[in-house]
Amino acid sequence: MKKVNEAIQLGDAIDPKHEIEVVCAACGHDVDEAELGADTCSDCGEALNLRQHTKIYATSIPAAGGSTLS
Ligand SMILES: [Zn+2]
């Protein structure tokens, strides 16, 4: 399962756009949203432990209005 979160402005900081991929820790099977609550992996049959891969998108975000680059 891949989930893309859009960039969010958090006060002075920006949480950049990023993608979270949820996979089985044992075999790397891409875990569906429907499978998140399962006890075992549908692919390898091991007890389901989730592992998340986070990928940050390298796109630059325009500065919010008014601020200047220093
Ligand atoms: Zn698995």
Side-chain angles (χ1 to χ4, degrees):
M1 179 184 75
K2 283 183 184 170
K3 188 175 157 193
V4 175
N5 293 326
E6 296 296 328
I8 320 169
Q9 183 84 39
L10 299 166
D12 289 339
I14 290 172
D15 185 17
K17 182 176 180 179
H18 59 283
E19 177 184 285
I20 298 173
E21 185 177 10
V22 181
V23 300
C24 169
C27 72
H29 169 65
D30 190 357
V31 177
D32 268 330
E33 195 154 9
E35 294 178 299
L36 287 177
D39 293 329
T40 56
C41 175
S42 64
D43 198 51
C44 69
E46 297 288 328
L48 185 59
N49 287 306
L50 301 176
R51 188 165 62 191
Q52 290 192 355
H53 293 295
T54 303
K55 188 168 89 180
I56 308 286
Y57 283 73
T59 52
S60 59
I61 297 163
S67 61
T68 52
L69 296 171
S70 52

